[in-house]
Amino acid sequence: MPLEQEEAVESPITDHAEYDAVVVGAGFAGMYQLYRLRELGLSVRVLETGDGVGGTWYWNRYPGARVDSPSMQYSLSFSSEMEQEWGWPEDYSPQNDLERYANHVADRFNLRDDIQFGTRVTNASYDENTKKWTIETDRGDSLTAQYFITAVGCLSATNMPNFKNLESFQGEWYHTSRYPKEGVELKGKRVGIVGTGSTGIQAITAVGKEDCELFVFQRTPNYSLPSNNKPMDPEFEKEWKTRYAEHREAARVSQGGAEIIAYPSVSALAVSDEERAATYEKAWNQGAFTLAQSFTDLMTNEDANFTAAEFVRNKIRQTVKDPETAELLAPKDYPIFTKRICMDTGYYETFNRPNVHLVDVKANPIEEITPKGIKTSAGEFELDLIIFATGFDAMTGPLFRMNIAGKDGLTLKKKWEDGPKTYLGISSVGFPNMFMITGPGSPSVLSNMTTSIEQHVDWITDTIKYLKENELADIEPTAAAEDAWVEHVNEVANKTLYPKANSWYIGANIPGKPRVFMPYVGGVGNYRQKCDEVAAKGYEGFELTPA
Ligand code: N01
């Protein structure tokens, strides 16, 4: 099965190939950026590989796909009318509601006119003489623009490990982020799911309920917390909407881009065992990420962290009836919360079902794919369908595959060969007038994405407005500002336990990728303040070139 869906190839654009701005991606980031740049009166072209809007929520159609930020907060805030009109059916929205919402945004603001679908960017290069970007596509388009804005998401470059003899498999196989729109018949089939990250956990829970035989190929177990998802309470929604602006403001200044009811004030080690257990139990029952906010030092002190990890391991042991399966599902070799915490709707319970089987591919690695299924060192598992929930080449992957070249032909891939180097996660030395929405070095994947997307888009729009008003041709960070930011990003990450896990945050899931912690741990509120200060000081740390 091809990883990239084959889109109908149309002819290149011939009529108007010069724009003020080219934006890549028509997810929430690309759509909002288009909306804001139109307000400035700029001509904008959005290029999108898919044949519809929604980004993550266009591509990730696997069974059980759902967001783990609360619906009332995982949405765009720029239009209070839309905020009031739109209704979310569930506390945590499934893929189809999010895709429906993305389409609503596109229709409501008439965005499709400026979006070119079915088009992948293959090259983007900066010309120092004209001070313009040239963007080329797989359809043969060549566009020029003053501003090149990437809205490609952090988790859009699929990671498909190089399994031996994959092509020999005679059944169907899909990567979760390329699952067919029309779905796949599961009834009566022997299904294999490889991978137990956030995606795998959701897919396993959904597929396990079907009338099929499910084999879960787990290499590393993950910690997962109950979401306690439920239908939206109309009273709660009504009440929330009366104070929507306040809720949004609280999210903007928060650590993680979502409003938190109560911040912790005490160390996990400063309370008695009974009090700690009661706190964790209450948080577990409240669901979602509440457990992570139980104490002040869960991300900075290994002993404190151990108490939360052990609480979750014990929950797994209490839930999963077979003790051997429970032990395999209980993570032991990295601190909790240092890999992206997962959220579920009955994941551990799934392993009590007679049709669900856990296969330990840490002890017995996958050796190859055979015509009939998956062969591990313990034997062959015959399968009709394999779903690969093997994740993404996160953050840098989506940028590198556009072959971006800046000044002197230096490619972004070459410049970042030892790890991403950005100023504020939004710009990089040598790439003038290029802006990365939720790029490495910004809070991005550590935050509620819609909050971070809006902050970046607003900042970029204000910056472009400033350039125009002040008749400036180019903006580019200074090497000193970039070095200082990279150092700061590393420094704050190293104060936490994050680097202790082999996570995709640190590039550990991709062979050969440099081990560098990519997102900014300093918090959405602090980060926003820093970005605003930079702008208020006339774009401190940037070089501005007159037109
Ligand atoms: O990917 P992952 P994901 N043989 O990289 C396994 C977001 N998201 O798609 O850990 C066997 O986390 C790999 O095993 P190991 C969220 O930010 C959000 O699940 O490398 N197994 C791991 O188990 C999330 O963190 C939502 O040992 C192999 C799995 O594949 C991010 O997307 C929902 C293997 C990959 O896990 C990525 O999550 C879904 C091999 N050769 C996703 N190679 C919500 O909002 C890899 N694996 C709810």
Side-chain angles (χ1 to χ4, degrees):
M1 313 295 144
L3 274 183
E4 307 304 340
Q5 288 184 0
E6 300 297 335
E7 306 294 345
V9 176
E10 295 164 34
S11 55
I13 309 162
T14 48
D15 55 342
H16 177 52
E18 187 156 348
Y19 297 90
D20 292 319
V22 164
V23 176
V24 190
F28 292 145
M31 287 200 289
Y32 181 46
Q33 186 66 79
L34 168 61
Y35 174 87
R36 291 297 323 270
L37 292 180
R38 272 185 184 172
E39 282 184 334
L40 293 188
L42 266 57
S43 63
V44 187
R45 190 73 172 172
V46 179
L47 303 173
E48 165 58 53
T49 307
D51 62 9
V53 295
T56 288
W57 305 109
Y58 170 86
W59 292 108
N60 288 273
R61 299 169 183 278
Y62 59 85
R66 184 182 293 281
V67 71
D68 56 10
S69 290
S71 302
M72 296 307 289
Q73 304 204 53
Y74 188 83
S75 56
L76 296 166
S77 71
F78 69 89
S79 162
S80 53
E81 292 82 18
M82 182 166 71
E83 240 174 22
Q84 292 298 325
E85 284 163 19
W86 185 262
W88 294 105
E90 297 179 55
D91 285 354
Y92 295 89
S93 299
Q95 179 272 336
N96 60 330
D97 282 337
L98 288 155
E99 193 187 17
R100 197 165 54 81
Y101 174 72
N103 278 292
H104 173 74
V105 175
D107 294 337
R108 198 180 200 287
F109 300 101
N110 198 23
L111 299 177
R112 288 178 214 280
D113 293 353
D114 292 320
I115 305 175
Q116 181 176 324
F117 294 102
T119 305
R120 176 178 288 286
V121 171
T122 50
N123 284 290
S125 54
Y126 179 75
D127 182 333
E128 283 170 76
N129 295 317
T130 60
K131 296 190 182 302
K132 294 259 166 83
W133 282 90
T134 299
I135 295 100
E136 293 171 340
T137 79
D138 61 352
R139 286 173 32 160
D141 306 303
S142 179
L143 292 69
T144 54
Q146 188 172 6
Y147 307 109
F148 173 54
I149 304 173
T150 67
V152 289
C154 298
L155 297 160
S156 54
T158 295
N159 172 37
M160 189 58 211
N162 196 11
F163 290 108
K164 193 176 153 195
N165 295 332
L166 175 61
E167 68 294 343
S168 72
F169 183 55
Q170 285 174 358
E172 288 176 276
W173 70 264
Y174 303 99
H175 187 279
T176 43
S177 70
R178 294 296 180 273
Y179 206 76
K181 280 182 198 168
E182 61 283 7
V184 180
E185 179 59 61
L186 300 171
K187 194 171 186 309
K189 287 193 177 155
R190 291 169 67 85
V191 182
I193 297 184
V194 180
T196 50
S198 292
T199 302
I201 281 176
Q202 292 185 329
I204 290 158
T205 310
V207 174
K209 292 194 181 95
E210 299 290 327
D211 180 12
C212 66
E213 213 60 29
L214 173 60
F215 295 84
V216 175
F217 295 84
Q218 172 188 273
R219 191 165 65 182
T220 311
N222 251 295
Y223 299 92
S224 187
L225 308 176
S227 71
N228 287 348
N229 182 43
K230 58 180 184 340
M232 182 65 67
D233 172 355
E235 284 309 309
F236 170 82
E237 184 182 12
K238 201 167 138 201
E239 210 284 319
W240 189 278
K241 284 183 175 178
T242 62
R243 295 191 300 117
Y244 226 141
E246 274 172 61
H247 291 303
R248 296 291 196 186
E249 198 43 39
R252 288 184 193 115
V253 299
S254 69
Q255 170 75 18
E259 186 179 19
I260 288 174
I261 306 306
Y263 280 92
S265 57
V266 64
S267 156
L269 306 176
V271 297
S272 68
D273 290 352
E274 293 73 26
E275 189 180 338
R276 192 184 313 111
T279 303
Y280 285 145
E281 191 65 38
K282 191 172 161 209
W284 179 269
N285 292 331
Q286 276 180 308
F289 297 132
T290 326
L291 195 90
Q293 290 133 17
S294 302
F295 296 103
T296 52
D297 48 359
L298 296 181
M299 284 310 293
T300 50
N301 181 314
E302 276 193 77
D303 293 336
N305 182 287
F306 182 86
T307 64
E310 192 60 9
F311 175 83
V312 175
R313 283 191 283 268
N314 285 333
K315 282 288 179 196
I316 299 169
R317 290 170 184 133
Q318 287 156 20
T319 308
V320 180
K321 290 185 182 139
D322 173 46
E324 206 178 311
T325 306
E327 279 318 307
L328 279 176
L329 287 167
K332 297 181 190 82
D333 55 4
Y334 61 97
I336 189 168
F337 309 123
T338 53
K339 281 188 175 195
R340 168 65 147 64
I341 193 80
C342 304
M343 249 173 57
D344 69 86
T345 47
Y347 175 60
Y348 295 114
E349 290 83 347
T350 303
F351 292 90
N352 294 331
R353 301 177 72 98
N355 63 322
V356 178
H357 318 278
L358 186 62
V359 182
D360 178 5
V361 295
K362 170 106 59 235
N364 303 297
I366 295 175
E367 289 181 341
E368 63 175 321
I369 310 295
T370 67
K372 287 185 179 168
I374 294 181
K375 185 166 176 286
T376 75
S377 59
E380 187 177 18
F381 295 82
E382 290 192 11
L383 302 166
D384 303 304
L385 166 68
I386 308 176
I387 301 172
F388 292 101
T390 45
F392 302 91
D393 181 358
M395 305 201 81
T396 52
L399 295 167
F400 288 166
R401 63 182 180 175
M402 289 190 286
N403 297 312
I404 300 169
K407 282 175 165 174
D408 302 321
L410 177 67
T411 63
L412 194 68
K413 196 169 183 180
K414 177 77 187 153
K415 182 185 164 186
W416 289 5
E417 63 186 358
D418 296 327
K421 291 187 176 58
T422 70
Y423 181 38
L424 302 174
I426 216 166
S427 60
S428 194
V429 176
F431 300 83
N433 289 354
M434 178 177 107
F435 301 100
M436 294 168 284
I437 302 175
T438 65
S442 75
S444 57
V445 289
L446 296 177
S447 69
N448 177 22
M449 270 299 199
T450 51
T451 309
S452 286
I453 283 169
E454 286 195 318
Q455 184 261 333
H456 262 189
V457 169
D458 289 341
W459 193 90
I460 291 166
T461 309
D462 290 347
T463 303
I464 291 176
K465 187 163 179 262
Y466 180 90
L467 297 176
K468 292 247 162 238
E469 284 172 356
N470 292 282
E471 296 181 1
L472 296 162
D474 268 358
I475 183 166
E476 184 189 349
T478 65
E482 181 170 282
D483 289 347
W485 185 253
V486 170
E487 199 183 314
H488 175 60
V489 170
N490 283 310
E491 195 187 323
V492 287
N494 288 334
K495 283 185 188 156
T496 72
L497 301 175
Y498 275 114
K500 295 204 172 282
N502 288 323
S503 65
W504 58 257
Y505 293 142
I506 211 157
N509 64 329
I510 303 294
K513 196 164 172 171
R515 197 181 169 92
V516 174
F517 194 80
M518 294 182 286
Y520 178 56
V521 187
V524 164
N526 295 333
Y527 173 78
R528 171 184 294 271
Q529 198 182 339
K530 171 72 184 167
C531 290
D532 290 349
E533 278 168 16
V534 164
K537 289 181 186 164
Y539 292 90
E540 185 181 49
F542 284 98
E543 243 167 60
L544 305 168
T545 316

